[in-house]
Amino acid sequence: MNITYDPKEMANVTKSRESFSGRMLTDPQFDEAMAITGIIEREINKTGKFKEKLGDYSYAFARSEKFDVMKAETIIRDLFKERTGMTMNQMREALVKREEDLTDTQKRGAHIHAVEVGRMIQEGNKMPFHRAYAHQAKELAIELNITETGAKKLMKEEFKNIEGKELYEVGKALEEKYYRPQIEAEKQQRQSERSQEKSYQRAR
């Protein structure tokens, strides 16, 4: 497994490799465990949760190696802390705390991202609501350093406060107007291409 790390992380990756848990692993085992720490970090940033993902991946990791699930989980937890500088729960709590401490000005900024959801659907190439919503939530989450779930909630609330409408309903209406025709046109094109291909094969 070839994993590319952010240059800023390389020192912590080296530190992780030389840690107690890191030293006991083969190179493939270490790469896999480190990849799992990245998946769990992504989940924490997305939802603010990690226990279910940690349990699933610890089980999968242990199945292919010569240690039990608890040991696999300990290894992943240790490497996570070495790589990120904090435990999974500390990372989760920090995100929750930042969300609780948002100012009114920061909250109002979520309206801009909510409006951008509609623009992405209108101007994007086959862009459905759920994809545009997730993209803007991620952008806002990075901007405010909160979870993407929290960012979605904030976008929905601020859009309702300012526009007096539900973001979901507006987004789905735009999806029906702009996204659906693009998909239908693509389906018709593919059907036409398949028909032409069948005609060509029959003619041979």
Side-chain angles (χ1 to χ4, degrees), residues 12-55:
N12 285 343
V13 171
T14 300
K15 183 182 175 185
S16 299
R17 191 67 178 107
E18 296 305 317
S19 68
F20 177 81
S21 290
R23 285 197 308 271
M24 64 184 287
L25 302 176
T26 64
D27 286 345
Q29 288 173 336
F30 178 75
D31 285 347
E32 186 173 349
M34 290 295 280
I36 293 171
T37 68
I39 291 170
I40 293 172
E41 181 181 12
R42 182 70 186 86
E43 183 68 13
I44 293 172
N45 281 300
K46 180 183 175 184
T47 66
K49 300 176 183 178
F50 64 88
K51 289 185 178 179
E52 186 173 333
K53 214 86 165 183
L54 175 61

Side-chain angles (χ1 to χ4, degrees), residues 10 24 36 51-52 54 72 84 138 148 152 159 186:
M10 286 310 299
M24 64 184 287
I36 293 171
K51 289 185 178 179
E52 186 173 333
L54 175 61
T84 66
K138 182 179 179 181
E148 290 167 35
K152 282 184 174 182
F159 191 83
E186 182 181 13

Side-chain angles (χ1 to χ4, degrees), residues 26-193:
T26 64
D27 286 345
Q29 288 173 336
F30 178 75
D31 285 347
E32 186 173 349
M34 290 295 280
I36 293 171
T37 68
I39 291 170
I40 293 172
E41 181 181 12
R42 182 70 186 86
E43 183 68 13
I44 293 172
N45 281 300
K46 180 183 175 184
T47 66
K49 300 176 183 178
F50 64 88
K51 289 185 178 179
E52 186 173 333
K53 214 86 165 183
L54 175 61
D56 290 344
Y57 278 91
S58 295
Y59 176 74
F61 185 38
R63 277 188 65 185
S64 60
E65 306 300 338
K66 295 180 179 179
F67 36 75
D68 61 29
V69 175
M70 288 303 297
K71 186 173 182 180
E73 180 174 322
T74 298
I75 290 169
I76 293 167
R77 282 181 178 275
D78 287 349
L79 294 181
F80 183 97
K81 185 176 181 181
E82 293 290 347
R83 185 177 69 78
T84 66
M86 63 184 80
T87 67
M88 296 172 192
N89 199 50
Q90 285 172 339
M91 181 176 286
R92 182 195 67 79
E93 288 178 341
L95 289 166
V96 170
K97 182 69 166 60
R98 280 190 289 270
E99 188 173 332
E100 291 173 347
D101 293 343
L102 290 176
T103 65
D104 290 341
T105 300
Q106 287 175 315
K107 290 178 180 179
R108 282 193 295 271
H111 176 253
I112 297 172
H113 289 273
V115 171
E116 279 295 297
V117 171
R119 186 193 63 77
M120 289 181 71
I121 297 170
Q122 292 181 61
E123 300 178 8
N125 179 28
K126 294 185 280 292
M127 177 69 69
F129 169 73
H130 75 271
R131 183 177 165 193
Y133 190 27
H135 176 83
Q136 288 300 322
K138 182 179 179 181
E139 292 290 311
L140 179 60
I142 291 172
E143 182 182 312
L144 299 179
N145 205 1
I146 61 175
T147 66
E148 290 167 35
T149 297
K152 282 184 174 182
K153 180 173 178 287
L154 202 54
M155 288 163 59
K156 183 173 66 174
E157 290 174 348
E158 290 304 307
F159 191 83
K160 176 70 172 179
N161 289 339
I162 296 173
E163 304 287 339
K165 301 175 183 177
E166 296 294 339
L167 177 58
Y168 177 82
E169 292 178 1
V170 171
K172 294 302 284 187
L174 289 171
E175 180 183 277
E176 195 64 29
K177 183 177 180 180
Y178 294 97
Y179 167 74
R180 188 65 55 195
Q182 294 180 63
I183 291 300
E184 292 303 322
E186 182 181 13
K187 285 180 181 178
Q188 291 177 8
Q189 181 180 352
R190 291 172 64 184
Q191 288 173 353
S192 176
E193 289 172 352

Side-chain angles (χ1 to χ4, degrees), residues 187-202:
K187 285 180 181 178
Q188 291 177 8
Q189 181 180 352
R190 291 172 64 184
Q191 288 173 353
S192 176
E193 289 172 352
R194 282 197 292 268
S195 296
Q196 290 175 4
E197 184 179 345
K198 287 179 181 178
S199 297
Y200 173 75
Q201 289 174 347
R202 286 196 296 266

